[in-house]
PDB file of all heavy atoms in Angstrom:
ATOM      1  N   TYR S  43      15.459  18.995 -18.605  1.00 55.00           N
ATOM      2  CA  TYR S  43      14.821  17.679 -18.725  1.00 55.00           C
ATOM      3  C   TYR S  43      15.566  16.641 -17.897  1.00 55.00           C
ATOM      4  O   TYR S  43      14.973  15.834 -17.210  1.00 55.00           O
ATOM      5  CB  TYR S  43      14.783  17.260 -20.196  1.00 55.00           C
ATOM      6  CG  TYR S  43      14.292  15.853 -20.385  1.00 55.00           C
ATOM      7  CD1 TYR S  43      12.945  15.556 -20.292  1.00 55.00           C
ATOM      8  CD2 TYR S  43      15.174  14.818 -20.645  1.00 55.00           C
ATOM      9  CE1 TYR S  43      12.478  14.277 -20.447  1.00 55.00           C
ATOM     10  CE2 TYR S  43      14.727  13.536 -20.811  1.00 55.00           C
ATOM     11  CZ  TYR S  43      13.380  13.261 -20.713  1.00 55.00           C
ATOM     12  OH  TYR S  43      12.935  11.976 -20.869  1.00 55.00           O
ATOM     13  N   TRP S  44      16.881  16.662 -17.951  1.00 54.00           N
ATOM     14  CA  TRP S  44      17.666  15.676 -17.220  1.00 54.00           C
ATOM     15  C   TRP S  44      17.596  15.920 -15.721  1.00 54.00           C
ATOM     16  O   TRP S  44      17.699  14.988 -14.935  1.00 54.00           O
ATOM     17  CB  TRP S  44      19.108  15.691 -17.702  1.00 54.00           C
ATOM     18  CG  TRP S  44      19.217  15.375 -19.154  1.00 54.00           C
ATOM     19  CD1 TRP S  44      19.585  16.227 -20.139  1.00 54.00           C
ATOM     20  CD2 TRP S  44      18.911  14.133 -19.796  1.00 54.00           C
ATOM     21  NE1 TRP S  44      19.540  15.587 -21.351  1.00 54.00           N
ATOM     22  CE2 TRP S  44      19.130  14.313 -21.169  1.00 54.00           C
ATOM     23  CE3 TRP S  44      18.468  12.899 -19.332  1.00 54.00           C
ATOM     24  CZ2 TRP S  44      18.936  13.294 -22.084  1.00 54.00           C
ATOM     25  CZ3 TRP S  44      18.269  11.879 -20.254  1.00 54.00           C
ATOM     26  CH2 TRP S  44      18.489  12.077 -21.604  1.00 54.00           C
ATOM     27  N   GLY S  45      17.428  17.152 -15.311  1.00 58.00           N
ATOM     28  CA  GLY S  45      17.313  17.446 -13.893  1.00 58.00           C
ATOM     29  C   GLY S  45      16.017  16.937 -13.306  1.00 58.00           C
ATOM     30  O   GLY S  45      15.947  16.542 -12.150  1.00 58.00           O
ATOM     31  N   LYS S  46      14.957  16.920 -14.104  1.00 59.00           N
ATOM     32  CA  LYS S  46      13.658  16.455 -13.613  1.00 59.00           C
ATOM     33  C   LYS S  46      13.543  14.940 -13.618  1.00 59.00           C
ATOM     34  O   LYS S  46      12.756  14.381 -12.882  1.00 59.00           O
ATOM     35  CB  LYS S  46      12.539  17.050 -14.474  1.00 59.00           C
ATOM     36  CG  LYS S  46      12.416  18.544 -14.340  1.00 59.00           C
ATOM     37  CD  LYS S  46      11.332  19.078 -15.243  1.00 59.00           C
ATOM     38  CE  LYS S  46      11.262  20.595 -15.161  1.00 59.00           C
ATOM     39  NZ  LYS S  46      10.294  21.149 -16.091  1.00 59.00           N
ATOM     40  N   ASN S  47      14.305  14.261 -14.449  1.00 64.00           N
ATOM     41  CA  ASN S  47      14.205  12.808 -14.583  1.00 64.00           C
ATOM     42  C   ASN S  47      15.427  12.087 -14.035  1.00 64.00           C
ATOM     43  O   ASN S  47      15.846  11.081 -14.579  1.00 64.00           O
ATOM     44  CB  ASN S  47      14.005  12.439 -16.054  1.00 64.00           C
ATOM     45  CG  ASN S  47      12.666  12.874 -16.559  1.00 64.00           C
ATOM     46  OD1 ASN S  47      11.676  12.745 -15.858  1.00 64.00           O
ATOM     47  ND2 ASN S  47      12.639  13.418 -17.757  1.00 64.00           N
ATOM     48  N   LYS S  48      15.990  12.597 -12.958  1.00 60.00           N
ATOM     49  CA  LYS S  48      17.182  11.977 -12.396  1.00 60.00           C
ATOM     50  C   LYS S  48      16.902  10.604 -11.801  1.00 60.00           C
ATOM     51  O   LYS S  48      17.798   9.793 -11.683  1.00 60.00           O
ATOM     52  CB  LYS S  48      17.801  12.877 -11.323  1.00 60.00           C
ATOM     53  CG  LYS S  48      18.576  14.018 -11.909  1.00 60.00           C
ATOM     54  CD  LYS S  48      19.379  14.728 -10.857  1.00 60.00           C
ATOM     55  CE  LYS S  48      20.205  15.807 -11.504  1.00 60.00           C
ATOM     56  NZ  LYS S  48      21.055  16.481 -10.576  1.00 60.00           N
ATOM     57  N   GLY S  49      15.668  10.332 -11.416  1.00 61.00           N
ATOM     58  CA  GLY S  49      15.345   9.033 -10.847  1.00 61.00           C
ATOM     59  C   GLY S  49      15.495   7.900 -11.839  1.00 61.00           C
ATOM     60  O   GLY S  49      15.743   6.767 -11.465  1.00 61.00           O
ATOM     61  N   ARG S  50      15.366   8.199 -13.126  1.00 72.00           N
ATOM     62  CA  ARG S  50      15.472   7.175 -14.160  1.00 72.00           C
ATOM     63  C   ARG S  50      16.845   7.142 -14.808  1.00 72.00           C
ATOM     64  O   ARG S  50      17.112   6.306 -15.652  1.00 72.00           O
ATOM     65  CB  ARG S  50      14.421   7.427 -15.239  1.00 72.00           C
ATOM     66  CG  ARG S  50      13.029   7.305 -14.709  1.00 72.00           C
ATOM     67  CD  ARG S  50      12.041   7.492 -15.808  1.00 72.00           C
ATOM     68  NE  ARG S  50      10.838   8.099 -15.230  1.00 72.00           N
ATOM     69  CZ  ARG S  50       9.936   8.734 -15.906  1.00 72.00           C
ATOM     70  NH1 ARG S  50      10.068   8.868 -17.196  1.00 72.00           N
ATOM     71  NH2 ARG S  50       8.888   9.233 -15.310  1.00 72.00           N
ATOM     72  N   SER S  51      17.715   8.029 -14.424  1.00 85.00           N
ATOM     73  CA  SER S  51      19.034   8.106 -15.046  1.00 85.00           C
ATOM     74  C   SER S  51      20.026   7.236 -14.282  1.00 85.00           C
ATOM     75  O   SER S  51      19.698   6.600 -13.290  1.00 85.00           O
ATOM     76  CB  SER S  51      19.524   9.555 -15.064  1.00 85.00           C
ATOM     77  OG  SER S  51      19.741   9.993 -13.745  1.00 85.00           O
ATOM     78  N   MET S  52      21.247   7.216 -14.781  1.00 87.00           N
ATOM     79  CA  MET S  52      22.315   6.459 -14.126  1.00 87.00           C
ATOM     80  C   MET S  52      22.590   7.023 -12.736  1.00 87.00           C
ATOM     81  O   MET S  52      22.828   6.274 -11.795  1.00 87.00           O
ATOM     82  CB  MET S  52      23.585   6.514 -14.977  1.00 87.00           C
ATOM     83  CG  MET S  52      24.744   5.790 -14.348  1.00 87.00           C
ATOM     84  SD  MET S  52      24.463   4.036 -14.264  1.00 87.00           S
ATOM     85  CE  MET S  52      25.444   3.489 -15.618  1.00 87.00           C
ATOM     86  N   GLU S  53      22.507   8.332 -12.601  1.00 87.00           N
ATOM     87  CA  GLU S  53      22.742   8.960 -11.294  1.00 87.00           C
ATOM     88  C   GLU S  53      21.669   8.556 -10.289  1.00 87.00           C
ATOM     89  O   GLU S  53      21.959   8.293  -9.130  1.00 87.00           O
ATOM     90  CB  GLU S  53      22.788  10.478 -11.442  1.00 87.00           C
ATOM     91  CG  GLU S  53      23.131  11.197 -10.162  1.00 87.00           C
ATOM     92  CD  GLU S  53      23.213  12.702 -10.349  1.00 87.00           C
ATOM     93  OE1 GLU S  53      23.302  13.161 -11.493  1.00 87.00           O
ATOM     94  OE2 GLU S  53      23.182  13.406  -9.330  1.00 87.00           O
ATOM     95  N   GLY S  54      20.422   8.499 -10.753  1.00 88.00           N
ATOM     96  CA  GLY S  54      19.338   8.067  -9.879  1.00 88.00           C
ATOM     97  C   GLY S  54      19.507   6.626  -9.435  1.00 88.00           C
ATOM     98  O   GLY S  54      19.228   6.273  -8.288  1.00 88.00           O
TER      99      GLY S  54
END
Side-chain angles (χ1 to χ4, degrees):
Y43 173 77
W44 300 111
K46 294 178 183 176
N47 292 319
K48 282 191 176 183
R50 296 183 211 160
S51 66
M52 178 67 102
E53 184 178 344

